């Protein structure tokens, strides 16, 4: 007959294994989604991120649209622009909320967009005075790799 301590240890081990499997499943793509991840409008090979270039309008403001969805990625994830005003429109085509927050200590760090719910769009206007690299991320999904970069040249 098993000892009470052995039964408790086996129960604990089974519980930890079940919770670990459930947690790992939360990080995977939804079941039945066999389509490859969307690679963005100007994606290169699989080892390179999708890159988009902000276009300057007649008013002198650069604009780009970034799409987010339930795959926890920005499309494009790398934005090329020039110093000056930049408007980023974020379209959430999924159901999961996201943010877009500039990181680091550089110019405009902490700027961004809070909690964009699924099916919604919003825009942020930034004004950069220097060239450089400005990383951004989703505060909710950075651990899953939802990050990108603005490259000002």
């Amino acid at each position: 007959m098993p000892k009470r301590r052995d039964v408790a240890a086996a129960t604990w081990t089974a519980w930890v294994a079940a919770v670990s499997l459930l947690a790992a499943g939360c990080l995977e793509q939804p079941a039945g989604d066999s389509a490859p991840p969307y690679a963005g409008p100007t994606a290169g090979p699989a080892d390179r991120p999708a890159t988009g270039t902000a276009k300057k309008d007649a008013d002198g403001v650069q604009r780009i649209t970034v799409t987010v969805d339930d795959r926890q990625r920005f499309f494009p994830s790398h934005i090329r622009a020039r110093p000056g005003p930049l408007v980023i429109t974020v379209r959430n085509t999924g159901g999961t909320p996201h943010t877009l927050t500039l990181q680091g200590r550089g110019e405009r760090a902490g700027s961004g967009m809070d909690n964009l719910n699924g099916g919604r769009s919003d825009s942020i206007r930034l004004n950069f005075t220097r060239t450089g690299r400005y990383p951004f991320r989703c505060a909710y999904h950075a651990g899953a790799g939802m990050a990108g970069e603005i490259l000002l040249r």
Side-chain angles (χ1 to χ4, degrees), residues 21-40:
L21 286 172
L22 285 172
C26 289
L27 299 176
E28 298 296 321
Q29 285 187 329
D33 187 2
S34 60
Y38 173 65

PDB file of all heavy atoms in Angstrom, residues 21-40:
ATOM      1  N   LEU A  21       1.636  22.060 -19.150  1.00  0.00           N
ATOM      2  CA  LEU A  21       1.123  21.793 -20.496  1.00  0.00           C
ATOM      3  C   LEU A  21       0.091  22.838 -20.907  1.00  0.00           C
ATOM      4  O   LEU A  21       0.086  23.307 -22.042  1.00  0.00           O
ATOM      5  CB  LEU A  21       0.503  20.402 -20.563  1.00  0.00           C
ATOM      6  CG  LEU A  21       1.497  19.243 -20.563  1.00  0.00           C
ATOM      7  CD1 LEU A  21       0.751  17.923 -20.429  1.00  0.00           C
ATOM      8  CD2 LEU A  21       2.333  19.258 -21.823  1.00  0.00           C
ATOM      9  N   LEU A  22      -0.770  23.215 -19.994  1.00  0.00           N
ATOM     10  CA  LEU A  22      -1.761  24.247 -20.310  1.00  0.00           C
ATOM     11  C   LEU A  22      -1.086  25.581 -20.604  1.00  0.00           C
ATOM     12  O   LEU A  22      -1.457  26.281 -21.540  1.00  0.00           O
ATOM     13  CB  LEU A  22      -2.748  24.407 -19.155  1.00  0.00           C
ATOM     14  CG  LEU A  22      -3.777  23.291 -19.021  1.00  0.00           C
ATOM     15  CD1 LEU A  22      -4.568  23.468 -17.732  1.00  0.00           C
ATOM     16  CD2 LEU A  22      -4.696  23.260 -20.218  1.00  0.00           C
ATOM     17  N   ALA A  23      -0.092  25.947 -19.805  1.00  0.00           N
ATOM     18  CA  ALA A  23       0.608  27.213 -20.019  1.00  0.00           C
ATOM     19  C   ALA A  23       1.346  27.200 -21.352  1.00  0.00           C
ATOM     20  O   ALA A  23       1.344  28.185 -22.088  1.00  0.00           O
ATOM     21  CB  ALA A  23       1.588  27.484 -18.880  1.00  0.00           C
ATOM     22  N   ALA A  24       1.967  26.092 -21.700  1.00  0.00           N
ATOM     23  CA  ALA A  24       2.675  26.007 -22.976  1.00  0.00           C
ATOM     24  C   ALA A  24       1.698  26.124 -24.136  1.00  0.00           C
ATOM     25  O   ALA A  24       1.996  26.742 -25.149  1.00  0.00           O
ATOM     26  CB  ALA A  24       3.453  24.690 -23.072  1.00  0.00           C
ATOM     27  N   GLY A  25       0.506  25.580 -23.993  1.00  0.00           N
ATOM     28  CA  GLY A  25      -0.496  25.673 -25.038  1.00  0.00           C
ATOM     29  C   GLY A  25      -0.955  27.091 -25.292  1.00  0.00           C
ATOM     30  O   GLY A  25      -1.355  27.452 -26.387  1.00  0.00           O
ATOM     31  N   CYS A  26      -0.891  27.947 -24.282  1.00  0.00           N
ATOM     32  CA  CYS A  26      -1.301  29.348 -24.449  1.00  0.00           C
ATOM     33  C   CYS A  26      -0.338  30.114 -25.341  1.00  0.00           C
ATOM     34  O   CYS A  26      -0.684  31.162 -25.861  1.00  0.00           O
ATOM     35  CB  CYS A  26      -1.388  30.037 -23.091  1.00  0.00           C
ATOM     36  SG  CYS A  26      -2.779  29.451 -22.114  1.00  0.00           S
ATOM     37  N   LEU A  27       0.872  29.625 -25.505  1.00  0.00           N
ATOM     38  CA  LEU A  27       1.861  30.320 -26.307  1.00  0.00           C
ATOM     39  C   LEU A  27       1.887  29.851 -27.752  1.00  0.00           C
ATOM     40  O   LEU A  27       2.582  30.423 -28.577  1.00  0.00           O
ATOM     41  CB  LEU A  27       3.259  30.145 -25.687  1.00  0.00           C
ATOM     42  CG  LEU A  27       3.409  30.708 -24.282  1.00  0.00           C
ATOM     43  CD1 LEU A  27       4.800  30.382 -23.746  1.00  0.00           C
ATOM     44  CD2 LEU A  27       3.162  32.200 -24.253  1.00  0.00           C
ATOM     45  N   GLU A  28       1.139  28.822 -28.069  1.00  0.00           N
ATOM     46  CA  GLU A  28       1.129  28.272 -29.416  1.00  0.00           C
ATOM     47  C   GLU A  28       0.081  28.976 -30.262  1.00  0.00           C
ATOM     48  O   GLU A  28      -0.800  29.657 -29.763  1.00  0.00           O
ATOM     49  CB  GLU A  28       0.825  26.770 -29.362  1.00  0.00           C
ATOM     50  CG  GLU A  28       1.872  25.975 -28.597  1.00  0.00           C
ATOM     51  CD  GLU A  28       3.227  26.017 -29.253  1.00  0.00           C
ATOM     52  OE1 GLU A  28       3.315  25.973 -30.490  1.00  0.00           O
ATOM     53  OE2 GLU A  28       4.222  26.100 -28.525  1.00  0.00           O
ATOM     54  N   GLN A  29       0.125  28.742 -31.572  1.00  0.00           N
ATOM     55  CA  GLN A  29      -0.903  29.261 -32.453  1.00  0.00           C
ATOM     56  C   GLN A  29      -2.202  28.522 -32.171  1.00  0.00           C
ATOM     57  O   GLN A  29      -2.200  27.389 -31.704  1.00  0.00           O
ATOM     58  CB  GLN A  29      -0.512  29.059 -33.910  1.00  0.00           C
ATOM     59  CG  GLN A  29       0.532  30.006 -34.377  1.00  0.00           C
ATOM     60  CD  GLN A  29       0.750  29.868 -35.871  1.00  0.00           C
ATOM     61  OE1 GLN A  29       0.595  28.795 -36.420  1.00  0.00           O
ATOM     62  NE2 GLN A  29       1.117  30.954 -36.508  1.00  0.00           N
ATOM     63  N   PRO A  30      -3.338  29.138 -32.475  1.00  0.00           N
ATOM     64  CA  PRO A  30      -4.617  28.466 -32.267  1.00  0.00           C
ATOM     65  C   PRO A  30      -4.684  27.144 -33.035  1.00  0.00           C
ATOM     66  O   PRO A  30      -4.127  27.021 -34.121  1.00  0.00           O
ATOM     67  CB  PRO A  30      -5.641  29.457 -32.828  1.00  0.00           C
ATOM     68  CG  PRO A  30      -4.942  30.775 -32.876  1.00  0.00           C
ATOM     69  CD  PRO A  30      -3.480  30.474 -33.006  1.00  0.00           C
ATOM     70  N   ALA A  31      -5.392  26.179 -32.460  1.00  0.00           N
ATOM     71  CA  ALA A  31      -5.525  24.871 -33.094  1.00  0.00           C
ATOM     72  C   ALA A  31      -6.177  25.017 -34.457  1.00  0.00           C
ATOM     73  O   ALA A  31      -7.076  25.820 -34.646  1.00  0.00           O
ATOM     74  CB  ALA A  31      -6.349  23.953 -32.204  1.00  0.00           C
ATOM     75  N   GLY A  32      -5.717  24.238 -35.404  1.00  0.00           N
ATOM     76  CA  GLY A  32      -6.306  24.248 -36.728  1.00  0.00           C
ATOM     77  C   GLY A  32      -5.788  25.359 -37.626  1.00  0.00           C
ATOM     78  O   GLY A  32      -6.213  25.471 -38.757  1.00  0.00           O
ATOM     79  N   ASP A  33      -4.902  26.187 -37.153  1.00  0.00           N
ATOM     80  CA  ASP A  33      -4.370  27.276 -37.969  1.00  0.00           C
ATOM     81  C   ASP A  33      -3.100  26.792 -38.637  1.00  0.00           C
ATOM     82  O   ASP A  33      -2.019  26.923 -38.108  1.00  0.00           O
ATOM     83  CB  ASP A  33      -4.082  28.499 -37.107  1.00  0.00           C
ATOM     84  CG  ASP A  33      -3.695  29.706 -37.939  1.00  0.00           C
ATOM     85  OD1 ASP A  33      -3.689  29.591 -39.187  1.00  0.00           O
ATOM     86  OD2 ASP A  33      -3.396  30.747 -37.348  1.00  0.00           O
ATOM     87  N   SER A  34      -3.250  26.205 -39.813  1.00  0.00           N
ATOM     88  CA  SER A  34      -2.087  25.643 -40.492  1.00  0.00           C
ATOM     89  C   SER A  34      -1.456  26.619 -41.467  1.00  0.00           C
ATOM     90  O   SER A  34      -0.460  26.310 -42.091  1.00  0.00           O
ATOM     91  CB  SER A  34      -2.479  24.363 -41.226  1.00  0.00           C
ATOM     92  OG  SER A  34      -3.475  24.666 -42.189  1.00  0.00           O
ATOM     93  N   ALA A  35      -2.047  27.806 -41.588  1.00  0.00           N
ATOM     94  CA  ALA A  35      -1.484  28.804 -42.504  1.00  0.00           C
ATOM     95  C   ALA A  35      -0.181  29.345 -41.938  1.00  0.00           C
ATOM     96  O   ALA A  35      -0.046  29.512 -40.729  1.00  0.00           O
ATOM     97  CB  ALA A  35      -2.473  29.953 -42.694  1.00  0.00           C
ATOM     98  N   PRO A  36       0.802  29.609 -42.792  1.00  0.00           N
ATOM     99  CA  PRO A  36       2.042  30.189 -42.287  1.00  0.00           C
ATOM    100  C   PRO A  36       1.781  31.594 -41.765  1.00  0.00           C
ATOM    101  O   PRO A  36       0.828  32.242 -42.191  1.00  0.00           O
ATOM    102  CB  PRO A  36       2.953  30.223 -43.519  1.00  0.00           C
ATOM    103  CG  PRO A  36       2.021  30.178 -44.678  1.00  0.00           C
ATOM    104  CD  PRO A  36       0.814  29.422 -44.233  1.00  0.00           C
ATOM    105  N   PRO A  37       2.607  32.077 -40.826  1.00  0.00           N
ATOM    106  CA  PRO A  37       2.413  33.427 -40.299  1.00  0.00           C
ATOM    107  C   PRO A  37       2.466  34.461 -41.414  1.00  0.00           C
ATOM    108  O   PRO A  37       3.239  34.336 -42.351  1.00  0.00           O
ATOM    109  CB  PRO A  37       3.587  33.607 -39.336  1.00  0.00           C
ATOM    110  CG  PRO A  37       4.071  32.245 -39.041  1.00  0.00           C
ATOM    111  CD  PRO A  37       3.732  31.404 -40.228  1.00  0.00           C
ATOM    112  N   TYR A  38       1.614  35.463 -41.293  1.00  0.00           N
ATOM    113  CA  TYR A  38       1.619  36.560 -42.256  1.00  0.00           C
ATOM    114  C   TYR A  38       2.967  37.242 -42.213  1.00  0.00           C
ATOM    115  O   TYR A  38       3.471  37.572 -41.152  1.00  0.00           O
ATOM    116  CB  TYR A  38       0.507  37.543 -41.900  1.00  0.00           C
ATOM    117  CG  TYR A  38       0.506  38.803 -42.713  1.00  0.00           C
ATOM    118  CD1 TYR A  38       0.261  38.766 -44.079  1.00  0.00           C
ATOM    119  CD2 TYR A  38       0.755  40.022 -42.122  1.00  0.00           C
ATOM    120  CE1 TYR A  38       0.247  39.921 -44.827  1.00  0.00           C
ATOM    121  CE2 TYR A  38       0.742  41.185 -42.870  1.00  0.00           C
ATOM    122  CZ  TYR A  38       0.493  41.135 -44.206  1.00  0.00           C
ATOM    123  OH  TYR A  38       0.493  42.273 -44.945  1.00  0.00           O
ATOM    124  N   ALA A  39       3.588  37.454 -43.354  1.00  0.00           N
ATOM    125  CA  ALA A  39       4.954  37.962 -43.387  1.00  0.00           C
ATOM    126  C   ALA A  39       5.041  39.445 -43.673  1.00  0.00           C
ATOM    127  O   ALA A  39       6.125  39.975 -43.817  1.00  0.00           O
ATOM    128  CB  ALA A  39       5.754  37.190 -44.435  1.00  0.00           C
ATOM    129  N   GLY A  40       3.929  40.130 -43.750  1.00  0.00           N
ATOM    130  CA  GLY A  40       3.978  41.571 -43.961  1.00  0.00           C
ATOM    131  C   GLY A  40       4.039  41.923 -45.428  1.00  0.00           C
ATOM    132  O   GLY A  40       4.247  41.080 -46.291  1.00  0.00           O
TER     133      GLY A  40
END
